[in-house]
Amino acid sequence: MSKNIVTAALKHGLYTGTIGRRILYYQRLTSTMDKATEEAKRGTEDGTVIIAEEQTSGRGRFRRIWTSPPHNLYLSTVLRPSNPVLSFLSLLTGLSVVRAIERITHLSPTIKWPNDVQLNGKKVAGILIEGSHQASEDDYTVIGIGINVNTHPGEISTNLINTATSLRIETGNPVSRELLLVHLLQELDSLYVETQKGKFPIMEWRQTVNTLGKRIEILWGTRVYVGQATDVDNRGNLVLRLDNNSTITLPAGEVTLNRE
Ligand code: BTN
């Protein structure tokens, strides 16, 4: 059984206003998204964090499987943001993962738009945002974060070997999950507060985005768009020049609605 990273993290000191006011820790869950959604529906307080050592049905964007063996970080947090903040949640979460990794390693992660966190062109962390937005009082959003922390090279499946990595692989050493957790929650909290005040650091976020100038393929709804990524605007939306020279703007603040 892994040691309780929450107890270990709290020993480092966790100073946050909203995120992590309540932390629930589990050895194994189907998905921290499921538990967080259950807690949200029961009216848990904003900033409740659910952490699991392992997930048996971890999920990613576009209904992909998020394989979740031990030694990494899997967490979800429940928030009830106002509409202006909601559209920045994806950006602020990506930036907090980038900052937390920078704080505890010598690495410089970048963001593949909208919010895959990469090291040397390979994915090290993924973000999933789900919610229920019916303009009612029980609206909630769940932010899920998965970070490949201590995955060994041999544990990465052959089909992902060229696209996925871990902090351990990139630094050559085991990385402290508890320290990463403390920094991640603190960065999430401070960026959440800044964004509530209308001060999301868009320039810092833009500088981490590695997608500009590249030819990319984006699945949006049921369509695939192919073109040159030419810009990201002040709300984090991506401007794509298609092959017929027209441009489209794709929203960054994507939230998957929960289907009951
Ligand atoms: C993606 O890049 O497709 C998003 C991956 C999100 C994975 C995290 S792990 C914690 C939380 N629980 C899940 O089942 N998914 C998210």
Side-chain angles (χ1 to χ4, degrees):
M1 182 180 283
S2 315
K3 74 174 176 181
N4 185 329
I5 55 164
V6 175
T7 312
L10 293 177
K11 284 190 187 141
H12 290 280
L14 178 64
Y15 305 101
T16 55
T18 303
I19 312 275
R21 281 198 287 208
R22 181 171 180 235
I23 303 181
L24 304 177
Y25 170 74
Y26 298 87
Q27 277 300 317
R28 184 176 292 133
L29 286 175
T30 51
S31 161
T32 56
M33 303 303 281
D34 295 339
K35 185 52 103 183
T37 303
E38 196 182 302
E39 287 292 326
K41 287 180 179 166
R42 273 201 213 137
T44 192
E45 56 195 307
D46 258 36
T48 296
V49 173
I50 313 290
I51 300 180
E53 290 289 341
E54 278 178 77
Q55 300 182 116
T56 52
S57 306
R59 57 179 179 268
R61 297 172 70 217
F62 309 117
R63 297 173 185 264
R64 291 185 187 127
I65 292 169
W66 187 262
T67 312
S68 311
H71 315 306
N72 296 324
L73 212 50
Y74 311 109
L75 63 98
S76 296
T77 184
V78 177
L79 290 171
R80 294 179 184 82
S82 62
N83 275 338
V85 175
L86 183 63
S87 58
F88 280 100
L89 275 191
S90 160
L91 314 196
L92 81 82
T93 308
L95 188 56
S96 37
V97 175
V98 166
R99 283 183 178 179
I101 293 174
E102 282 173 348
R103 297 269 189 271
I104 66 155
T105 66
H106 58 277
L107 303 169
S108 303
T110 54
I111 293 176
K112 180 181 168 207
W113 187 91
N115 59 19
D116 277 359
V117 179
Q118 295 190 327
L119 287 166
N120 295 318
K122 295 181 179 181
K123 182 159 169 170
V124 71
I127 290 161
L128 178 67
I129 300 185
E130 295 179 343
S132 137
H133 304 283
Q134 280 121 25
S136 69
E137 272 182 15
D138 35 273
D139 278 359
Y140 60 83
T141 303
V142 175
I143 299 178
I145 304 172
I147 307 181
N148 296 336
V149 186
N150 285 317
T151 310
H152 287 272
E155 287 171 325
I156 296 200
S157 58
T158 36
N159 58 326
L160 294 178
I161 212 89
N162 295 319
T163 52
T165 190
S166 73
L167 296 180
R168 183 182 189 135
I169 294 171
E170 299 300 319
T171 58
N173 292 304
V175 169
S176 161
R177 291 182 312 145
E178 46 265 28
L179 214 49
L180 182 63
L181 177 63
V182 167
H183 284 285
L184 178 61
L185 297 183
Q186 281 173 187
E187 294 299 341
L188 258 181
D189 192 65
S190 76
L191 282 171
Y192 189 57
V193 171
E194 291 296 288
T195 309
Q196 281 172 322
K197 292 182 191 157
K199 290 185 183 160
F200 177 75
I202 191 80
M203 289 315 289
E204 182 187 343
W205 177 83
R206 269 182 81 122
Q207 277 159 12
T208 67
V209 175
N210 63 24
T211 316
L212 295 186
K214 290 189 183 153
R215 188 172 168 76
I216 55 170
E217 202 178 282
I218 294 182
L219 174 64
W220 188 254
T222 52
R223 292 193 58 181
V224 176
Y225 296 95
V226 183
Q228 175 106 355
T230 55
D231 202 6
V232 276
D233 68 18
N234 280 347
R235 305 195 68 77
N237 304 316
L238 184 79
V239 182
L240 194 66
R241 191 171 57 239
L242 304 176
D243 292 344
N244 64 7
N245 241 357
S246 65
T247 57
I248 53 162
T249 303
L250 297 166
E254 176 203 0
V255 175
T256 305
L257 289 184
N258 273 339
R259 313 238 177 269
E260 299 286 321

